[in-house]
């Protein structure tokens, strides 16, 4: 699955730093020297935190030690939750269950490998820990508010670091940041991974590490770092934070939320549009998108909103809304694609001539079939992504399409002035509309249902 840039990796392995595991130090090294070896090149030794910075606060912090394994990701979850009043040990175990453990492109979540006890196995370049997208939905599933902030990677962005600090300072002792840091000199293309489903190549930032940051109550303008490798709290400046984040420039801000699921969802919705807030697909969900969407998944499975929790008769799930589908994940099971087309069909029953006895599998016919074959290569290729057709062709007027299907928000690919109407087909996860002038158009049901969800949760 992966190819190595051999020279870079050999140089990395020859360094004293070991990311996600336990470095080997000489017996006469001081704690400060050990810390410096993990976090800085020799030329940066002067920037190491002083002895006074190690005893930064009178308040007690609980730090779970990492040990000889690659669990810096789960350790960060535990340390963050524990220090804002939650159960860190339980969060650690639940995070391990929610994040599948197998190799994968780090852009979606570079998973740790499954070992004899979860991912408890010595660090290696095949066992680095998960990247930010893996945990976007995890914190929500654990019952906390969470939002991902991001900026262009590869450079230190002081405004980005300040935004992180400001969010934490607004809710001190009840919020933390899950950080992906590259304090040492790093190579942004240290390793090239090949994605088997699509043949894509993705570059891996190396080396990196995962830690937790909280605001320093007793040192305004500084952040407390909780690191399972170091084992004691130490503080850094906002400038230093910006430098250490530069490789990924992606952060998850987590805060306590003791209210109802609806309030939690409302928090997710109102984050959109705020500085540095970014929607992200999330590892387990993107895995499925890759498998189904192939090279076109960037288009067909584009994410449109933050993950949120939902609760129905079958239990609690983490949902990530995509352009045409919702990605659903319950417990530790693999994600599914919610059959929004079936939901839409039931919404349209008895309104536009679709009856229950006609809601079944059908074949695409006429011009819609021709258009689908031209765009996707085959009907089978289309159905693998969007599911089998549920309905035969049915007719919708201009007004019916606009209000019953699009919920009053007109699709930009459709002409609002077109008459007389559209021939439509619903599949499990999409809707096809044909018009004499524009031909066949794919309607994004995921966006329609998500916008409806936004409207519902905004209203208390």
């Amino acid at each position: 699955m992966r190819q190595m840039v051999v020279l870079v990796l050999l140089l990395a392995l020859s360094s004293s730093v070991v990311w996600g595991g336990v470095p080997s130090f000489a017996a006469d090294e001081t704690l400060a020297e050990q810390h410096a070896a993990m976090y800085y090149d020799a030329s940066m030794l002067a920037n190491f935190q002083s002895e006074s910075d190690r005893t930064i606060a009178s308040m007690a912090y609980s730090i779970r030690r990492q040990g000889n394994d690659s669990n810096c990701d789960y350790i960060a979850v535990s340390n963050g939750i524990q220090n804002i009043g939650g159960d860190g040990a339980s969060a650690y175990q639940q995070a391990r269950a929610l994040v599948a453990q197998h190799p994968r492109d780090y852009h979606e979540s570079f998973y740790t490998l499954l070992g004899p006890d979860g991912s408890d196995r010595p660090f290696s370049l095949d066992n680095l820990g998960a990247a930010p997208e893996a945990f976007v939905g995890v914190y929500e599933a654990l019952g906390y508010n969470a939002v991902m902030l991001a900026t262009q990677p590869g450079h230190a962005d002081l405004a980005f670091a300040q935004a992180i600090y400001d969010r934490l300072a607004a809710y001190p002792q009840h919020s933390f940041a899950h950080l992906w840091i590259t304090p040492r000199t790093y190579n942004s293309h240290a390793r090239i991974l090949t994605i088997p489903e699509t043949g894509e190549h993705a570059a891996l930032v190396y080396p990196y590490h995962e830690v937790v940051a909280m605001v320093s109550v007793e040192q305004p303008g500084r952040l407390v770092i909780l690191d399972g490798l170091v084992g004691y709290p130490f503080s850094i400046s906002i400038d230093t934070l910006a430098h250490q984040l530069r490789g990924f420039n992606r952060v998850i801000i987590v805060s306590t939320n003791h209210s109802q699921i609806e309030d939690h969802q409302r928090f997710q919705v109102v984050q959109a549009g705020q500085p540095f807030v970014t929607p992200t697909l999330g590892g387990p969900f993107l895995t499925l998108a890759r498998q189904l969407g192939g090279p076109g998944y960037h288009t067909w499975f584009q994410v449109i909103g933050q993950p949120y929790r939902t609760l129905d008769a079958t239990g609690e799930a983490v949902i990530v809304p995509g352009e045409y589908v919702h990605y659903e994940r319950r417990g530790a099971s693999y994600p599914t694609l919610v059959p929004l087309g079936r939901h839409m069909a039931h919404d349209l029953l008895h309104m536009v001539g679709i009856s229950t006895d006609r809601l079944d599998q059908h074949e695409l016919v006429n011009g819609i079939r021709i258009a689908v074959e031209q765009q996707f290569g085959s009907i089978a290729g289309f159905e693998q992504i969007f599911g089998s057709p549920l309905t035969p062709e049915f007719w919708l007027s201009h007004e019916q399409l606009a209000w019953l299907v699009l919920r009053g928000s007109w699709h930009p690919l459709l002409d609002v002035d077109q008459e007389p109407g559209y021939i439509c087909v619903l599949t499990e996860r999409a809707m096809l509309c044909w018009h004499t002038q524009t031909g066949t158009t794919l309607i994004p049901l995921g966006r329609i249902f998500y916008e409806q969800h936004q409207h519902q949760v905004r209203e208390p």
Side-chain angles (χ1 to χ4, degrees), residues 31 66 127 238 278 362 393 451 454:
L31 191 59
Q66 187 165 326
N127 200 20
I238 296 175
T278 180
H362 297 267
E393 292 182 347
E451 289 177 352
Q454 287 180 303

Side-chain angles (χ1 to χ4, degrees), residues 10 26 55 64 83 105 110 118 132 169 178 225 240 289 305 330 337 391 394 404 447:
L10 290 177
T55 57
R64 180 176 181 137
N83 286 282
D105 167 20
F110 193 66
H178 188 150
I225 301 298
T240 300
R330 285 192 174 89
L337 301 183
T391 67
F394 59 93
L404 296 180
R447 179 173 293 277

Side-chain angles (χ1 to χ4, degrees), residues 55-133:
T55 57
I56 51 166
S58 58
M59 69 173 293
Y61 292 93
S62 175
I63 300 180
R64 180 176 181 137
R65 297 305 301 267
Q66 187 165 326
N68 188 27
D69 57 48
S70 298
N71 285 330
C72 63
D73 41 15
Y74 307 126
I75 294 292
V77 174
S78 177
N79 285 332
I81 296 298
Q82 184 68 40
N83 286 282
I84 63 171
D87 186 341
S90 175
Y92 174 86
Q93 296 298 337
Q94 290 183 67
R96 286 167 63 120
L98 285 166
V99 178
Q101 297 170 312
H102 55 84
R104 185 58 60 177
D105 167 20
Y106 91 97
H107 284 104
E108 61 173 273
S109 118
F110 193 66
Y111 299 151
T112 53
L113 297 176
L114 185 63
D117 180 16
S119 61
D120 291 337
R121 57 192 310 182
F123 166 84
S124 75
L125 293 174
D126 290 318
N127 200 20
L128 289 172
E133 285 78 355

